[in-house]
């Protein structure tokens, strides 16, 4: 499964089907920050077998979008650069 769901103009979520599983994530064109670790991801690219910490939904924030700062602050995980 390579599905990612836009969550407003700034955020993109890629829900995992089951706890403990990995999945392929396909961020669209542009640069987004992974809220799990703060790393920049430039799309389009396939992140194969992407794993997020247990209980976390993979999410990415486009830094140039309206509301990006607020979205990243709300979604950033412990250890991610804020």
């Amino acid at each position: 499964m390579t599905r990612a769901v836009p969550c407003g103009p700034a955020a993109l979520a890629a829900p995992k089907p089951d706890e403990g599983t990995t999945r392929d994530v396909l961020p669209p064109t542009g640069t987004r920050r992974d809220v799990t670790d703060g790393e920049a991801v430039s799309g389009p690219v396939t992140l194969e077998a992407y794993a997020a910490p247990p209980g976390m939904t993979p999410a990415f924030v486009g830094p140039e979008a309206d509301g990006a700062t607020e979205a990243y602050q709300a979604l950033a995980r412990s250890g991610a650069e804020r």
Side-chain angles (χ1 to χ4, degrees):
M1 181 183 276
T2 57
R3 188 160 172 245
V5 181
C7 300
L12 179 73
K16 297 185 297 181
D18 295 306
E19 191 62 39
T21 62
T22 63
R23 64 168 305 155
D24 292 349
V25 178
L26 180 63
T29 301
T31 299
R32 290 177 175 54
R33 285 178 69 192
D34 184 332
V35 301
T36 301
D37 60 15
E39 293 292 319
V41 175
S42 293
V45 65
T46 300
L47 305 175
E48 295 181 7
Y50 182 92
M56 301 293 182
T57 296
F60 304 85
V61 174
E64 302 299 320
D66 289 338
T69 299
E70 294 83 358
Y72 189 79
Q73 289 174 345
L75 295 169
R77 311 293 189 238
S78 176
E81 179 185 325
R82 289 184 181 242

